[in-house]
């Protein structure tokens, strides 16, 4: 987008290395049971596809659509479910696959919705974690990288729906980016 610059933060290679490590750890932590990877659309789509292939055990993949942000980068505060899961989750181990945990509002809402369906467990795997911005306490069991309070795009993460297809995760710098 004109007027914005991208500063690389994590290269595609660094991301791949970390995602492989996360996959090995997740496979070791779930020795039995029905594991459901729940991809939070749209930002987690590339993370999900790489992470799922790094977890060498049986699993199923499902998708949940949620929108908590408007066109830009400020939270609207409201969370809306735009697509529900296809599969039943009672008795299953749910691993929510998220691009980034920021305020924690989205995941707090989602976990409440999913707990009502009586899964065996619910955990979170997030590529990125911005702990400085947390408004709701959320336990993120698997974190790719912790980052400072900067706005990042790429590898699924967007600004106004742009930049999701960048191979690297980059800090977006520009006129409206605080
Ligand atoms: P939360 O409810 O504030 O934790 O919202 C998390 C969601 O906000 C993420 O799934 C992203 O879609 C979006 N988000 C938060 N920080 C960033 C960022 O730095 N870049 C792009 N999207 C972000
Ligand atoms: Mg998201």
């Amino acid at each position: 987008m004109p007027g914005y610059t991208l500063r690389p933060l994590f290269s595609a290679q660094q991301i791949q290395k970390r995602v492989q490590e996360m996959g090995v750890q997740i496979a070791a932590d779930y020795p039995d049971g029905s594991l459901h990877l729940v991809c939070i659309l749209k930002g987690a789509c590339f993370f999900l596809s790489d992470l799922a292939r790094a977890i060498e055990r049986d699993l199923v993949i499902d998708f949940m659509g949620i929108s908590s942000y408007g066109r830009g980068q400020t939270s609207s505060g409201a969370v809306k479910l735009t697509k529900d899961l296809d599969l039943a989750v009672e008795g299953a181990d749910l691993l929510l696959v998220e691009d980034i945990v920021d305020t924690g509002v989205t995941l707090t809402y989602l976990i409440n919705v999913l707990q009502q369906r009586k899964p065996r467990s619910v955990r979170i795997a997030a590529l990125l974690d911005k702990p400085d911005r947390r408004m709701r306490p959320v336990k993120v069991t698997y974190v790719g990288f912790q980052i400072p309070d900067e706005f990042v795009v790429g590898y699924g993460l967007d600004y106004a729906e742009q930049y999701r297809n960048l191979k690297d995760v980059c800090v977006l710098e520009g006129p409206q980016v605080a």
Side-chain angles (χ1 to χ4, degrees), residues 40-44 66 68-69 72-73 75 79 98-108 128 130 133-135 138 147-154 156-159 164 170 172:
I40 314 303
L41 295 170
K42 304 173 194 172
I66 198 146
S68 59
Y69 276 52
Q73 48 161 354
S75 175
V79 179
E98 177 61 302
D99 51 2
I100 184 166
V101 186
D102 187 24
T103 63
V105 170
T106 308
L107 281 168
T108 300
L128 303 172
K130 267 195 228 179
R133 297 247 314 162
R134 204 73 92 246
M135 288 163 53
V138 182
I147 64 167
D149 181 12
E150 293 187 292
F151 198 81
V152 291
V153 295
L157 291 134
D158 76 305
Y159 174 62
R164 292 194 197 275
C170 301
L172 183 69

Side-chain angles (χ1 to χ4, degrees), residues 6 22 26 34 65 84-85 87 91 97 111 131 133 139 164 169:
L6 298 164
M22 294 173 82
I26 290 164
S34 173
D84 203 346
L85 296 175
L87 306 172
V97 180
I111 287 168
R133 297 247 314 162
K139 184 175 174 209
R164 292 194 197 275
V169 168

Side-chain angles (χ1 to χ4, degrees), residues 29-177:
D29 286 357
Y30 290 94
D32 57 31
S34 173
L35 177 60
H36 291 216
L37 298 193
V38 175
C39 176
I40 314 303
L41 295 170
K42 304 173 194 172
C45 65
F46 300 121
F47 179 42
L48 177 274
S49 78
D50 287 334
L51 184 67
R53 287 176 290 177
I55 302 172
E56 296 192 1
R57 59 152 286 164
D58 291 345
L59 55 78
V60 299
I61 290 169
D62 210 341
F63 295 90
M64 203 153 201
I66 198 146
S67 72
S68 59
Y69 276 52
R71 259 177 55 81
Q73 48 161 354
T74 29
S75 175
S76 63
V79 179
K80 193 175 72 174
L81 199 69
T82 57
K83 188 215 169 291
D84 203 346
L85 296 175
D86 295 325
L87 306 172
V89 302
E90 191 171 338
D93 291 310
L94 300 187
L95 184 58
L96 308 188
V97 180
E98 177 61 302
D99 51 2
I100 184 166
V101 186
D102 187 24
T103 63
V105 170
T106 308
L107 281 168
T108 300
Y109 169 83
L110 259 188
I111 287 168
N112 284 337
V113 169
L114 293 172
Q115 287 288 11
Q116 289 164 24
R117 303 180 192 177
K118 302 189 170 49
R120 182 164 85 164
S121 68
V122 182
R123 288 184 187 170
I124 298 164
L127 179 72
L128 303 172
D129 183 16
K130 267 195 228 179
D132 297 349
R133 297 247 314 162
R134 204 73 92 246
M135 288 163 53
R136 305 275 165 81
V138 182
K139 184 175 174 209
V140 188
T141 306
Y142 306 101
V143 177
F145 304 96
Q146 282 203 349
I147 64 167
D149 181 12
E150 293 187 292
F151 198 81
V152 291
V153 295
Y155 193 66
L157 291 134
D158 76 305
Y159 174 62
E161 295 295 331
Q162 296 295 312
Y163 304 112
R164 292 194 197 275
N165 59 324
L166 298 179
K167 293 183 178 69
D168 304 334
V169 168
C170 301
V171 176
L172 183 69
E173 292 169 338
Q176 291 159 44
V177 184

